Amino acid sequence: MLTLRRLQNADGINDVAKLLGFKPRALSHILYVQPVSSKYHSFTIPKRSGGTRGISAPRKGLKLLQRRLADLLQTCIVELNQIREESDEPILRYQLSHGFTKDRSILTNARPHRNKRYVFNIDLEDFFGSIHFGRVQGFFLKDKSFLLKPKTALVLAQIACFEQKLPQGSPCSPIISNLIAHILDIHLVRLASRWGCIYTRYADDLSFSTNKFEFPARIATRSCSVSHEWTTGSDLVRIIRHSGFKVNQKKTRMQYHNSRQEVTGLVVNSRINVPSDYRRKVRAMAHSLFRTGKYYLPSFARDEDGIEQPVMIQGSLAQLHGMLGYIHFIDKSDTENQVQQNSSKDDQKMIRALQDRRETIYRRFLFYKEFYALAKPLLLCEGWTDYIYIQTALKALRGDYPNLVAVDDQGRPRFTFR
């Protein structure tokens, strides 16, 4: 409780600055002197479902400040959870969200909904934007786990907020949003349990699932008896509104066991898996890269009238590496889960063989990236210390070998080591 106690005892900007490793003068300059226009870099990124998402990314000084605030709050949460564990509390506080949480991911969020009759997904509208300055300040003032002093709560809200709300792109927005949305999680867990459902949340994505013959009407109801259109139930709407959030009706959907069911982008019908269409698209991109040395990604660009139009842009190695790494992570996790559930050695061997076949494209890509598509020549050393000796020698003799060593203060070689 040392960190939390220090935060609770802090009284104003000087104490907060010490906790965050800043000089009080530097913190005051960032909050009160630095122009707002120089604090954030605003831009848009395309959404997978179409349209764009606004991002407000903090610049260097403020970003470091927000990162340290996020680390400070994470330490406080760890201390609070340790207290709950020691007192044998049934639910660890602030551990219900799977987004922006250590040791949790879209995989842990999707796993509880595997092999269910119904999966109901809803989305919270403008999740970060609905958490305004007053909510952030009020949380730190009145939440019984924090109960900070007014001056301290004010400074934390000033660090975290931009244009009177939590910005999407700040390092501390995720953890603060989880803290504030925790009361929503508590109420929805109780609602789901009361009606025989399972509930999880990943950021602004809420998921309910059940094996009941009929889905509970208090959580979701059909628009009419013969329609497949569903709306949020009365109890669910009431709890979400009472918690200060709003349902995005455009992203509300019910998924049945005889069709593809997805939770946070993962198929959950019988096993956790990446959607087959996404897997095929990534495989096609990889084959295009191997054949032609380039591949293309769908994106959006504004035309002469300022209207966004779909276009194809050339993708980078880093982007494709990320997509293949994502598929590999999901496949590997699913393989390990299946091996644990199957005691037969023959079944385990078959499962691992399937995983080896899945990894073929990923292996080919890694070979292409590390040994073929090189910006500089590659030097393979026999021993792990060889590159140190070679690099030291080249730095000493860089004037005699200008084609091997770049002419700058650091004397970097014109090739890479492995």
Side-chain angles (χ1 to χ4, degrees):
M1 291 291 289
L2 178 61
T3 301
L4 181 58
R5 291 294 184 219
R6 290 177 60 195
L7 182 60
Q8 291 172 333
N9 293 330
D11 190 13
I13 192 168
N14 290 343
D15 294 336
V16 172
K18 292 178 182 178
L19 281 171
L20 299 178
F22 271 72
K23 293 182 179 179
R25 184 176 179 180
L27 179 55
S28 297
H29 182 271
I30 292 175
L31 294 183
Y32 309 124
V33 179
Q34 187 176 346
V36 176
S37 59
S38 65
K39 291 183 181 180
Y40 288 87
H41 170 54
S42 298
F43 57 95
T44 60
I45 59 174
K47 293 182 179 179
R48 185 175 62 177
S49 58
T52 59
R53 185 189 307 277
I55 302 294
S56 296
R59 298 190 186 274
K60 189 174 180 181
L62 181 58
K63 184 176 183 179
L64 176 62
L65 180 62
Q66 292 177 341
R67 169 53 59 194
R68 290 186 179 177
L69 175 58
D71 294 340
L72 177 71
L73 294 176
Q74 183 60 48
T75 302
C76 293
I77 292 174
V78 171
E79 293 177 353
L80 288 169
N81 289 333
Q82 289 174 348
I83 295 173
R84 304 271 306 177
E85 289 178 341
E86 292 171 359
S87 60
D88 296 326
E89 295 279 355
I91 300 177
L92 295 183
R93 195 165 177 79
Y94 307 123
Q95 289 294 308
L96 296 178
S97 171
H98 292 258
F100 320 122
T101 304
K102 185 179 180 181
D103 298 328
R104 297 202 173 193
S105 64
I106 59 172
L107 185 64
T108 62
N109 183 70
R111 189 170 287 148
H113 304 286
R114 186 179 67 85
N115 201 22
K116 294 294 190 293
R117 184 185 297 271
Y118 296 99
V119 176
F120 180 59
N121 293 330
I122 65 174
D123 184 84
L124 298 180
E125 187 174 321
D126 193 18
F127 180 59
F128 286 119
S130 62
I131 303 176
H132 52 74
F133 186 95
R135 292 185 71 180
V136 176
Q137 184 182 10
F139 172 83
F140 289 119
L141 274 174
K142 298 180 179 181
D143 184 81
K144 64 180 182 180
S145 296
F146 285 87
L147 296 175
L148 303 186
K149 296 180 179 179
K151 291 182 181 179
T152 300
L154 175 63
V155 172
L156 296 190
Q158 290 172 335
I159 294 173
C161 293
F162 173 58
E163 296 180 343
Q164 296 298 307
K165 61 185 180 181
L166 285 183
Q168 187 158 340
S170 165
C172 61
S173 290
I175 191 169
I176 293 177
S177 66
N178 274 345
L179 288 170
I180 293 176
H182 179 69
I183 188 64
L184 171 68
D185 294 331
I186 291 293
H187 289 309
L188 293 185
V189 163
R190 290 173 180 169
L191 175 68
S193 178
R194 185 183 309 130
W195 298 105
C197 291
I198 293 174
Y199 161 78
T200 63
R201 178 176 66 85
Y202 187 95
D204 58 351
D205 292 326
L206 279 59
S207 300
F208 296 84
S209 64
T210 185
N211 276 325
K212 285 180 171 292
F213 186 74
E214 293 290 341
F215 197 86
R218 297 296 184 92
I219 299 176
T221 57
R222 289 181 187 268
S223 298
C224 62
S225 59
V226 295
S227 173
H228 291 295
E229 294 183 3
W230 291 70
T231 59
T232 49
S234 57
D235 285 3
L236 180 56
V237 171
R238 175 180 54 80
I239 291 173
I240 291 175
R241 287 180 178 174
H242 184 72
S243 300
F245 297 99
K246 184 180 179 181
V247 177
N248 185 350
Q249 298 295 347
K250 296 180 181 179
K251 295 186 177 180
T252 299
R253 60 175 179 163
M254 178 68 76
Q255 303 167 95
Y256 310 106
H257 66 94
N258 55 359
S259 62
R260 188 169 78 177
Q261 298 172 319
E262 289 188 22
V263 175
T264 48
L266 297 176
V267 179
V268 295
N269 288 75
S270 59
R271 41 178 287 229
I272 307 298
N273 200 2
V274 176
S276 57
D277 52 349
Y278 180 84
R279 192 186 295 270
R280 285 194 296 268
K281 288 178 181 178
V282 175
R283 188 185 299 121
M285 292 176 190
H287 284 304
S288 176
L289 178 69
F290 301 152
R291 293 195 313 270
T292 66
K294 54 187 175 182
Y295 71 97
Y296 294 91
L297 287 169
S299 184
F300 295 90
R302 295 185 183 275
D303 59 16
E304 296 178 354
D305 299 325
I307 301 174
E308 291 187 345
Q309 299 290 345
V311 296
M312 299 298 290
I313 61 172
Q314 186 171 336
S316 66
L317 288 176
Q319 288 173 312
L320 186 56
H321 195 173
M323 290 183 280
L324 288 168
Y326 163 71
I327 295 175
H328 173 71
F329 166 71
I330 300 301
D331 287 345
K332 183 178 179 182
S333 300
D334 179 67
T335 298
E336 293 174 350
N337 188 50
Q338 289 188 69
V339 168
Q340 292 176 358
Q341 294 178 356
N342 289 272
S343 57
S344 170
K345 291 185 177 179
D346 291 338
D347 289 342
Q348 293 180 0
K349 186 176 180 180
M350 182 180 64
I351 293 169
R352 294 192 185 280
L354 176 61
Q355 175 63 13
D356 288 341
R357 289 198 296 273
R358 288 175 174 175
E359 291 178 350
T360 301
I361 295 293
Y362 195 28
R363 291 193 186 105
R364 289 184 62 190
F365 171 79
L366 292 177
F367 180 85
Y368 179 92
K369 178 184 177 183
E370 301 296 336
F371 296 99
Y372 186 80
L374 297 173
K376 297 189 293 186
L378 173 67
L379 179 63
L380 294 175
C381 299
E382 183 176 345
W384 68 273
T385 59
D386 290 349
Y387 81 96
I388 299 176
Y389 300 138
I390 295 173
Q391 196 170 26
T392 302
L394 288 175
K395 285 182 179 180
L397 301 172
R398 59 184 176 179
D400 298 330
Y401 301 95
N403 293 330
L404 289 177
V405 184
V407 181
D408 59 18
D409 294 337
Q410 298 183 9
R412 297 187 183 93
R414 297 183 186 272
F415 51 86
T416 57
F417 296 92
R418 286 289 185 274

